[in-house]
Amino acid sequence: MLIFLPALYIFLPSTKCVLLRTSVGINNIDFTDFKITENNLNLGVAHNVNGCSIRCLENLQCLSFSYNWKTNACEMWDEDFIHIYDTDGSTDVGWIYYYIIRDLECGITKETCLSHSGFSYTPCFCHRYVSTQMFYQNAFDNCASHNSSLARVNRGFFQLTLENILAHVIDGEVRIQGNRASITSTWRFDNGDLMKYFNWNTIDNQPSQTPTELSIVIRKSEGYRWHDAHIDYALSSVCHIY
C-alpha cells in the first residue's frame, strides 16, 4: 500500500513557477519494520526523517531512503524497491521507507540535471503542471493533443503509480511509453533511450517479440506485468502532462 504525502504547489502569474514540498517523500508502508539489505549508497545517522530526506535529496543518485525512528539510522538507495517479497531483507522494527521525487524550479532543464548526475535516468525534473489521465484509442495523438506524452516508466515508483490507477479501471490494460524495432530485441523509450526498468510477465514468455508487437501495455489481469502488443490496439493509455 502506498501513502501519497501532500505537496504544496504554488503557481505564480509569470513564466517562472515555484514548487514547495511540504513532505519528506512518498511512503511505501509495505516496507514498514523491514530492514532492506540490498547494496546502499550510504548509511549514516539523521536526527529525524526530514533530515534523512534532505540527505537523499542532496545526492542526485538517491531515489529512495529508509529511516529507523528508533535508532535514527538513515540508509539511502539508488533504486526504488517495489514489493517486499522481491527485496533482500528481514523484519526489523523501526524502519520506514520513502521514495524521493525531485522537483526543480521551472527553467532548470532535465539535461542540466543529467549533466550533474552522470546517470542515464532523470532523477529530477520540473513540473509546470502534472496530471495523469486516461485516454482511449490512438494513444500517441491523444497524449500529444494534451501537450503530453505517454507515461515513461523507468522507476519502481512510477510502476506503482500506474498499478494504483489500474486498480480503479474496469478495462485493465493501459499503454505506456516504449517500443522496439521489428527485427531487434532491444526495447527503448520513445525518445530512443534504452529502458532501464523492466516488469515483463516472464511466466507467460513476455515480451513475445512477434514482428507486429512493437509497443508495451500493462495488464491488470496479469499482476500489472508488462506485455508487448500491437501498436494499433485501441487500448487506453496513461499520459503525463508537463
Short mmCIF file of all heavy atoms in Angstrom, two decimals, residues 48-97:
data_model
loop_
_atom_site.label_atom_id
_atom_site.label_comp_id
_atom_site.label_asym_id
_atom_site.label_seq_id
_atom_site.Cartn_x
_atom_site.Cartn_y
_atom_site.Cartn_z
N ASN A 48 16.12 13.07 12.36
CA ASN A 48 14.72 12.70 12.13
C ASN A 48 14.54 12.33 10.67
O ASN A 48 15.49 12.38 9.88
CB ASN A 48 13.78 13.85 12.55
CG ASN A 48 14.19 15.17 11.93
OD1 ASN A 48 14.54 15.24 10.75
ND2 ASN A 48 14.18 16.24 12.73
N VAL A 49 13.31 11.99 10.30
CA VAL A 49 13.04 11.56 8.93
C VAL A 49 13.25 12.69 7.93
O VAL A 49 13.67 12.46 6.79
CB VAL A 49 11.62 10.96 8.83
CG1 VAL A 49 10.56 12.04 9.01
CG2 VAL A 49 11.42 10.23 7.51
N ASN A 50 13.00 13.94 8.35
CA ASN A 50 13.24 15.07 7.47
C ASN A 50 14.73 15.22 7.16
O ASN A 50 15.11 15.52 6.03
CB ASN A 50 12.71 16.36 8.11
CG ASN A 50 11.21 16.41 8.13
OD1 ASN A 50 10.57 16.62 7.12
ND2 ASN A 50 10.63 16.22 9.31
N GLY A 51 15.56 15.00 8.15
CA GLY A 51 16.99 15.08 7.94
C GLY A 51 17.48 14.00 7.00
O GLY A 51 18.36 14.24 6.15
N CYS A 52 16.92 12.81 7.09
CA CYS A 52 17.27 11.72 6.20
C CYS A 52 16.82 12.06 4.77
O CYS A 52 17.54 11.80 3.80
CB CYS A 52 16.62 10.42 6.67
SG CYS A 52 17.21 8.93 5.84
N SER A 53 15.64 12.66 4.66
CA SER A 53 15.13 13.07 3.35
C SER A 53 16.06 14.09 2.70
O SER A 53 16.36 14.01 1.51
CB SER A 53 13.73 13.67 3.51
OG SER A 53 13.28 14.24 2.31
N ILE A 54 16.55 15.05 3.48
CA ILE A 54 17.44 16.09 2.95
C ILE A 54 18.73 15.46 2.45
O ILE A 54 19.25 15.82 1.38
CB ILE A 54 17.72 17.15 4.03
CG1 ILE A 54 16.45 17.96 4.31
CG2 ILE A 54 18.86 18.07 3.60
CD1 ILE A 54 16.56 18.89 5.49
N ARG A 55 19.25 14.51 3.19
CA ARG A 55 20.49 13.84 2.77
C ARG A 55 20.29 13.13 1.43
O ARG A 55 21.18 13.14 0.57
CB ARG A 55 20.94 12.84 3.84
CG ARG A 55 21.37 13.49 5.13
CD ARG A 55 21.86 12.50 6.14
NE ARG A 55 23.06 11.81 5.67
CZ ARG A 55 23.77 10.97 6.43
NH1 ARG A 55 23.39 10.74 7.68
NH2 ARG A 55 24.85 10.38 5.96
N CYS A 56 19.14 12.53 1.25
CA CYS A 56 18.84 11.85 0.00
C CYS A 56 18.70 12.86 -1.13
O CYS A 56 19.24 12.68 -2.22
CB CYS A 56 17.59 10.99 0.13
SG CYS A 56 17.17 10.02 -1.35
N LEU A 57 17.98 13.93 -0.89
CA LEU A 57 17.75 14.94 -1.92
C LEU A 57 19.06 15.59 -2.38
O LEU A 57 19.19 15.99 -3.53
CB LEU A 57 16.79 16.01 -1.41
CG LEU A 57 15.31 15.62 -1.34
CD1 LEU A 57 14.53 16.63 -0.53
CD2 LEU A 57 14.73 15.50 -2.74
N GLU A 58 20.02 15.68 -1.48
CA GLU A 58 21.29 16.31 -1.82
C GLU A 58 22.19 15.41 -2.66
O GLU A 58 23.18 15.86 -3.22
CB GLU A 58 22.02 16.73 -0.54
CG GLU A 58 21.36 17.90 0.18
CD GLU A 58 22.03 18.24 1.48
OE1 GLU A 58 22.81 17.38 2.00
OE2 GLU A 58 21.80 19.34 2.01
N ASN A 59 21.85 14.12 -2.73
CA ASN A 59 22.62 13.16 -3.52
C ASN A 59 21.79 12.79 -4.75
O ASN A 59 20.78 12.09 -4.63
CB ASN A 59 22.92 11.92 -2.68
CG ASN A 59 23.83 10.94 -3.38
OD1 ASN A 59 23.86 10.86 -4.61
ND2 ASN A 59 24.57 10.17 -2.60
N LEU A 60 22.20 13.25 -5.95
CA LEU A 60 21.39 13.05 -7.13
C LEU A 60 21.26 11.59 -7.52
O LEU A 60 20.40 11.23 -8.33
CB LEU A 60 21.95 13.85 -8.31
CG LEU A 60 21.68 15.35 -8.27
CD1 LEU A 60 22.32 16.03 -9.46
CD2 LEU A 60 20.19 15.63 -8.24
N GLN A 61 22.10 10.71 -6.96
CA GLN A 61 21.95 9.29 -7.23
C GLN A 61 20.83 8.67 -6.39
O GLN A 61 20.33 7.60 -6.70
CB GLN A 61 23.25 8.55 -6.92
CG GLN A 61 24.42 8.97 -7.76
CD GLN A 61 25.68 8.22 -7.37
OE1 GLN A 61 25.65 7.01 -7.16
NE2 GLN A 61 26.79 8.92 -7.27
N CYS A 62 20.43 9.35 -5.32
CA CYS A 62 19.48 8.79 -4.37
C CYS A 62 18.04 8.91 -4.88
O CYS A 62 17.56 10.01 -5.17
CB CYS A 62 19.61 9.51 -3.03
SG CYS A 62 18.58 8.80 -1.72
N LEU A 63 17.35 7.79 -4.98
CA LEU A 63 15.95 7.75 -5.41
C LEU A 63 15.00 7.35 -4.29
O LEU A 63 13.79 7.53 -4.40
CB LEU A 63 15.78 6.78 -6.58
CG LEU A 63 16.53 7.14 -7.86
CD1 LEU A 63 16.24 6.10 -8.94
CD2 LEU A 63 16.16 8.52 -8.36
N SER A 64 15.54 6.78 -3.20
CA SER A 64 14.69 6.39 -2.08
C SER A 64 15.56 6.26 -0.84
O SER A 64 16.79 6.20 -0.93
CB SER A 64 13.96 5.07 -2.38
OG SER A 64 14.88 4.00 -2.55
N PHE A 65 14.91 6.21 0.32
CA PHE A 65 15.68 6.07 1.55
C PHE A 65 14.86 5.34 2.62
O PHE A 65 13.63 5.29 2.57
CB PHE A 65 16.14 7.43 2.08
CG PHE A 65 15.03 8.31 2.60
CD1 PHE A 65 14.66 8.29 3.93
CD2 PHE A 65 14.37 9.19 1.76
CE1 PHE A 65 13.64 9.11 4.42
CE2 PHE A 65 13.36 10.02 2.22
CZ PHE A 65 12.99 9.98 3.56
N SER A 66 15.58 4.75 3.56
CA SER A 66 14.97 4.12 4.73
C SER A 66 15.43 4.86 5.98
O SER A 66 16.60 5.24 6.08
CB SER A 66 15.38 2.64 4.84
OG SER A 66 14.97 1.89 3.72
N TYR A 67 14.51 5.03 6.92
CA TYR A 67 14.85 5.71 8.17
C TYR A 67 14.32 4.88 9.34
O TYR A 67 13.20 4.38 9.28
CB TYR A 67 14.23 7.11 8.21
CG TYR A 67 14.47 7.82 9.53
CD1 TYR A 67 15.71 8.33 9.85
CD2 TYR A 67 13.43 7.95 10.45
CE1 TYR A 67 15.94 8.97 11.06
CE2 TYR A 67 13.64 8.59 11.67
CZ TYR A 67 14.90 9.09 11.97
OH TYR A 67 15.12 9.71 13.18
N ASN A 68 15.14 4.73 10.37
CA ASN A 68 14.73 3.99 11.56
C ASN A 68 14.49 4.97 12.70
O ASN A 68 15.43 5.61 13.19
CB ASN A 68 15.82 2.98 11.94
CG ASN A 68 15.33 2.00 13.01
OD1 ASN A 68 14.92 2.40 14.08
ND2 ASN A 68 15.40 0.72 12.70
N TRP A 69 13.22 5.09 13.10
CA TRP A 69 12.86 6.08 14.10
C TRP A 69 13.34 5.69 15.51
O TRP A 69 13.38 6.53 16.42
CB TRP A 69 11.36 6.31 14.12
CG TRP A 69 10.54 5.07 14.41
CD1 TRP A 69 10.03 4.20 13.49
CD2 TRP A 69 10.15 4.56 15.69
NE1 TRP A 69 9.34 3.18 14.10
CE2 TRP A 69 9.40 3.38 15.46
CE3 TRP A 69 10.35 4.98 16.99
CZ2 TRP A 69 8.86 2.61 16.50
CZ3 TRP A 69 9.82 4.22 18.03
CH2 TRP A 69 9.08 3.06 17.78
N LYS A 70 13.76 4.45 15.70
CA LYS A 70 14.27 4.02 17.00
C LYS A 70 15.76 4.31 17.14
O LYS A 70 16.24 4.68 18.22
CB LYS A 70 14.03 2.52 17.19
CG LYS A 70 12.55 2.14 17.28
CD LYS A 70 12.39 0.64 17.49
CE LYS A 70 12.95 0.22 18.85
NZ LYS A 70 12.73 -1.24 19.10
N THR A 71 16.51 4.13 16.06
CA THR A 71 17.97 4.27 16.11
C THR A 71 18.49 5.50 15.39
O THR A 71 19.68 5.80 15.47
CB THR A 71 18.64 3.03 15.49
OG1 THR A 71 18.32 2.97 14.10
CG2 THR A 71 18.16 1.76 16.18
N ASN A 72 17.61 6.18 14.65
CA ASN A 72 17.97 7.35 13.83
C ASN A 72 18.90 6.99 12.67
O ASN A 72 19.57 7.86 12.11
CB ASN A 72 18.61 8.46 14.67
CG ASN A 72 17.70 8.97 15.76
OD1 ASN A 72 18.02 8.89 16.93
ND2 ASN A 72 16.55 9.49 15.36
N ALA A 73 18.93 5.72 12.31
CA ALA A 73 19.74 5.30 11.16
C ALA A 73 19.07 5.77 9.87
O ALA A 73 17.84 5.73 9.73
CB ALA A 73 19.89 3.78 11.15
N CYS A 74 19.89 6.22 8.92
CA CYS A 74 19.42 6.72 7.63
C CYS A 74 20.16 5.96 6.54
O CYS A 74 21.39 5.99 6.48
CB CYS A 74 19.68 8.21 7.52
SG CYS A 74 19.29 8.95 5.91
N GLU A 75 19.42 5.31 5.66
CA GLU A 75 20.02 4.50 4.62
C GLU A 75 19.46 4.94 3.26
O GLU A 75 18.25 5.05 3.09
CB GLU A 75 19.72 3.03 4.86
CG GLU A 75 20.64 2.08 4.14
CD GLU A 75 20.74 0.73 4.83
OE1 GLU A 75 19.99 0.48 5.80
OE2 GLU A 75 21.57 -0.08 4.39
N MET A 76 20.35 5.20 2.30
CA MET A 76 19.94 5.74 1.01
C MET A 76 20.16 4.71 -0.09
O MET A 76 21.08 3.90 -0.05
CB MET A 76 20.73 7.01 0.70
CG MET A 76 20.55 8.11 1.74
SD MET A 76 21.25 9.70 1.20
CE MET A 76 22.95 9.25 0.90
N TRP A 77 19.28 4.80 -1.13
CA TRP A 77 19.31 3.82 -2.22
C TRP A 77 19.28 4.52 -3.57
O TRP A 77 18.69 5.59 -3.71
CB TRP A 77 18.09 2.89 -2.12
CG TRP A 77 17.82 2.41 -0.73
CD1 TRP A 77 16.91 2.92 0.15
CD2 TRP A 77 18.47 1.34 -0.05
NE1 TRP A 77 16.96 2.23 1.33
CE2 TRP A 77 17.90 1.25 1.24
CE3 TRP A 77 19.48 0.44 -0.41
CZ2 TRP A 77 18.31 0.30 2.17
CZ3 TRP A 77 19.88 -0.51 0.52
CH2 TRP A 77 19.31 -0.57 1.79
N ASP A 78 19.90 3.89 -4.57
CA ASP A 78 19.88 4.45 -5.92
C ASP A 78 18.85 3.74 -6.80
O ASP A 78 18.95 3.74 -8.02
CB ASP A 78 21.25 4.38 -6.57
CG ASP A 78 21.76 2.95 -6.75
OD1 ASP A 78 21.07 2.02 -6.30
OD2 ASP A 78 22.84 2.78 -7.34
N GLU A 79 17.85 3.14 -6.16
CA GLU A 79 16.76 2.47 -6.88
C GLU A 79 15.50 2.53 -6.04
O GLU A 79 15.53 2.91 -4.86
CB GLU A 79 17.12 1.02 -7.19
CG GLU A 79 17.37 0.16 -5.96
CD GLU A 79 17.73 -1.27 -6.31
OE1 GLU A 79 16.92 -1.93 -6.99
OE2 GLU A 79 18.81 -1.73 -5.90
N ASP A 80 14.38 2.17 -6.65
CA ASP A 80 13.11 2.06 -5.94
C ASP A 80 12.85 0.58 -5.66
O ASP A 80 12.87 -0.23 -6.58
CB ASP A 80 11.94 2.57 -6.79
CG ASP A 80 12.04 4.05 -7.07
OD1 ASP A 80 12.57 4.78 -6.22
OD2 ASP A 80 11.58 4.47 -8.14
N PHE A 81 12.56 0.24 -4.43
CA PHE A 81 12.12 -1.11 -4.12
C PHE A 81 10.60 -1.13 -4.17
O PHE A 81 9.93 -0.25 -3.63
CB PHE A 81 12.64 -1.54 -2.75
CG PHE A 81 14.14 -1.51 -2.68
CD1 PHE A 81 14.80 -0.52 -1.96
CD2 PHE A 81 14.90 -2.45 -3.35
CE1 PHE A 81 16.18 -0.48 -1.91
CE2 PHE A 81 16.29 -2.42 -3.31
CZ PHE A 81 16.93 -1.44 -2.58
N ILE A 82 10.04 -2.12 -4.83
CA ILE A 82 8.61 -2.12 -5.12
C ILE A 82 7.85 -3.02 -4.17
O ILE A 82 6.98 -2.60 -3.43
CB ILE A 82 8.36 -2.56 -6.57
CG1 ILE A 82 9.22 -1.75 -7.54
CG2 ILE A 82 6.88 -2.39 -6.93
CD1 ILE A 82 9.14 -2.23 -8.95
N HIS A 83 8.20 -4.32 -4.21
CA HIS A 83 7.48 -5.30 -3.39
C HIS A 83 8.44 -5.96 -2.42
O HIS A 83 9.56 -6.32 -2.79
CB HIS A 83 6.84 -6.36 -4.28
CG HIS A 83 5.89 -5.79 -5.29
ND1 HIS A 83 4.74 -5.14 -4.93
CD2 HIS A 83 5.92 -5.76 -6.65
CE1 HIS A 83 4.09 -4.73 -6.01
NE2 HIS A 83 4.80 -5.09 -7.06
N ILE A 84 8.00 -6.16 -1.21
CA ILE A 84 8.86 -6.69 -0.16
C ILE A 84 9.36 -8.09 -0.48
O ILE A 84 10.47 -8.47 -0.13
CB ILE A 84 8.12 -6.64 1.21
CG1 ILE A 84 9.12 -6.80 2.35
CG2 ILE A 84 7.01 -7.66 1.26
CD1 ILE A 84 8.51 -6.50 3.71
N TYR A 85 8.55 -8.88 -1.20
CA TYR A 85 8.95 -10.25 -1.49
C TYR A 85 10.01 -10.33 -2.59
O TYR A 85 10.59 -11.38 -2.81
CB TYR A 85 7.74 -11.11 -1.86
CG TYR A 85 6.83 -10.53 -2.92
CD1 TYR A 85 7.17 -10.58 -4.26
CD2 TYR A 85 5.63 -9.94 -2.55
CE1 TYR A 85 6.34 -10.04 -5.23
CE2 TYR A 85 4.78 -9.39 -3.52
CZ TYR A 85 5.15 -9.45 -4.85
OH TYR A 85 4.33 -8.91 -5.80
N ASP A 86 10.27 -9.21 -3.26
CA ASP A 86 11.33 -9.18 -4.28
C ASP A 86 12.60 -8.53 -3.76
O ASP A 86 13.55 -8.32 -4.52
CB ASP A 86 10.86 -8.41 -5.52
CG ASP A 86 9.80 -9.17 -6.30
OD1 ASP A 86 9.82 -10.41 -6.27
OD2 ASP A 86 8.96 -8.52 -6.94
N THR A 87 12.63 -8.19 -2.48
CA THR A 87 13.71 -7.39 -1.92
C THR A 87 14.46 -8.15 -0.84
O THR A 87 13.84 -8.80 0.00
CB THR A 87 13.13 -6.09 -1.31
OG1 THR A 87 12.29 -5.44 -2.27
CG2 THR A 87 14.24 -5.14 -0.89
N ASP A 88 15.78 -8.08 -0.88
CA ASP A 88 16.58 -8.71 0.17
C ASP A 88 16.42 -7.94 1.47
O ASP A 88 16.57 -6.71 1.50
CB ASP A 88 18.06 -8.73 -0.22
CG ASP A 88 18.35 -9.69 -1.37
OD1 ASP A 88 17.55 -10.62 -1.56
OD2 ASP A 88 19.37 -9.50 -2.05
N GLY A 89 16.13 -8.65 2.55
CA GLY A 89 15.97 -8.01 3.84
C GLY A 89 15.24 -8.89 4.83
O GLY A 89 14.93 -10.05 4.54
N SER A 90 14.95 -8.34 5.99
CA SER A 90 14.27 -9.11 7.03
C SER A 90 13.55 -8.17 7.99
O SER A 90 13.79 -6.95 7.99
CB SER A 90 15.28 -9.97 7.80
OG SER A 90 16.26 -9.15 8.41
N THR A 91 12.68 -8.72 8.82
CA THR A 91 11.91 -7.94 9.78
C THR A 91 12.83 -7.27 10.80
O THR A 91 13.72 -7.90 11.35
CB THR A 91 10.90 -8.84 10.52
OG1 THR A 91 10.01 -9.42 9.56
CG2 THR A 91 10.10 -8.03 11.53
N ASP A 92 12.62 -5.97 11.01
CA ASP A 92 13.41 -5.21 11.97
C ASP A 92 12.59 -3.98 12.34
O ASP A 92 12.41 -3.07 11.53
CB ASP A 92 14.75 -4.82 11.37
CG ASP A 92 15.69 -4.19 12.38
OD1 ASP A 92 15.28 -4.03 13.55
OD2 ASP A 92 16.83 -3.86 12.01
N VAL A 93 12.10 -3.94 13.55
CA VAL A 93 11.16 -2.90 13.98
C VAL A 93 11.81 -1.52 13.96
O VAL A 93 12.96 -1.34 14.38
CB VAL A 93 10.63 -3.20 15.40
CG1 VAL A 93 9.75 -2.05 15.91
CG2 VAL A 93 9.83 -4.50 15.40
N GLY A 94 11.08 -0.55 13.42
CA GLY A 94 11.51 0.84 13.44
C GLY A 94 11.75 1.45 12.08
O GLY A 94 11.77 2.67 11.94
N TRP A 95 11.91 0.62 11.05
CA TRP A 95 12.24 1.13 9.73
C TRP A 95 11.00 1.61 8.97
O TRP A 95 9.95 0.99 9.03
CB TRP A 95 12.94 0.07 8.88
CG TRP A 95 14.33 -0.22 9.33
CD1 TRP A 95 14.74 -1.25 10.13
CD2 TRP A 95 15.50 0.55 9.02
NE1 TRP A 95 16.09 -1.17 10.33
CE2 TRP A 95 16.58 -0.09 9.66
CE3 TRP A 95 15.73 1.69 8.27
CZ2 TRP A 95 17.89 0.40 9.57
CZ3 TRP A 95 17.02 2.19 8.18
CH2 TRP A 95 18.09 1.53 8.83
N ILE A 96 11.14 2.72 8.26
CA ILE A 96 10.13 3.21 7.33
C ILE A 96 10.85 3.54 6.02
O ILE A 96 12.05 3.83 6.02
CB ILE A 96 9.38 4.46 7.86
CG1 ILE A 96 10.37 5.50 8.36
CG2 ILE A 96 8.40 4.07 8.94
CD1 ILE A 96 9.72 6.76 8.87
N TYR A 97 10.13 3.49 4.93
CA TYR A 97 10.75 3.57 3.61
C TYR A 97 10.02 4.59 2.73
O TYR A 97 8.79 4.61 2.70
CB TYR A 97 10.72 2.19 2.94
CG TYR A 97 11.25 2.17 1.54
CD1 TYR A 97 12.61 2.31 1.28
CD2 TYR A 97 10.40 2.02 0.45
CE1 TYR A 97 13.10 2.30 -0.01
CE2 TYR A 97 10.88 1.99 -0.84
CZ TYR A 97 12.23 2.15 -1.07
OH TYR A 97 12.70 2.14 -2.35
#
